């Protein structure tokens, strides 16, 4: 299973919904309220040893997650 597919499956489990997350140019975007976005970040941070950052997409209920080396 590819990296992106694995991450999307993990996010879907946290959000308990499909189709609220997608990748674009290596960045994960999640459409969710802030409390759910925080849960996603906590899960990713734990699973990827702190190698993830999160940003809020201005004017949207969307968050961008970037994976770092």
């Amino acid at each position: 299973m590819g990296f992106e597919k694995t991450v999307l499956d993990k996010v879907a489990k946290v959000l308990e919904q499909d189709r609220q997350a997608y990748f674009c140019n290596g960045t994960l975007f999640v459409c969710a309220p802030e409390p759910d976005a925080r849960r996603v970040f906590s899960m990713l941070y734990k699973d990827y040893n702190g190698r993830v950052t999160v940003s809020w997409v201005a004017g949207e209920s969307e968050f961008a997650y970037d994976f770092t080396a």
Side-chain angles (χ1 to χ4, degrees):
M1 188 181 293
F3 174 76
E4 292 181 358
K5 174 76 171 130
T6 301
V7 171
L8 291 173
D9 286 346
K10 290 180 179 189
V11 171
K13 287 179 185 173
V14 170
L15 296 178
E16 300 174 354
Q17 296 181 38
D18 285 337
R19 298 186 217 160
Q20 294 224 8
Y22 61 95
F23 274 92
C24 182
N25 296 325
T27 298
L28 171 66
F29 291 90
V30 176
C31 301
E34 186 175 349
D36 292 341
R38 288 179 182 271
R39 289 187 320 155
V40 168
F41 177 71
S42 293
M43 178 270 302
L44 293 172
Y45 192 88
K46 178 184 161 201
D47 288 357
Y48 295 99
N49 301 315
R51 294 182 171 158
V52 61
T53 61
V54 63
S55 302
W56 173 61
V57 178
E60 301 289 332
S61 182
E62 186 172 41
F63 295 83
Y65 301 82
D66 285 301
F67 297 86
T68 59

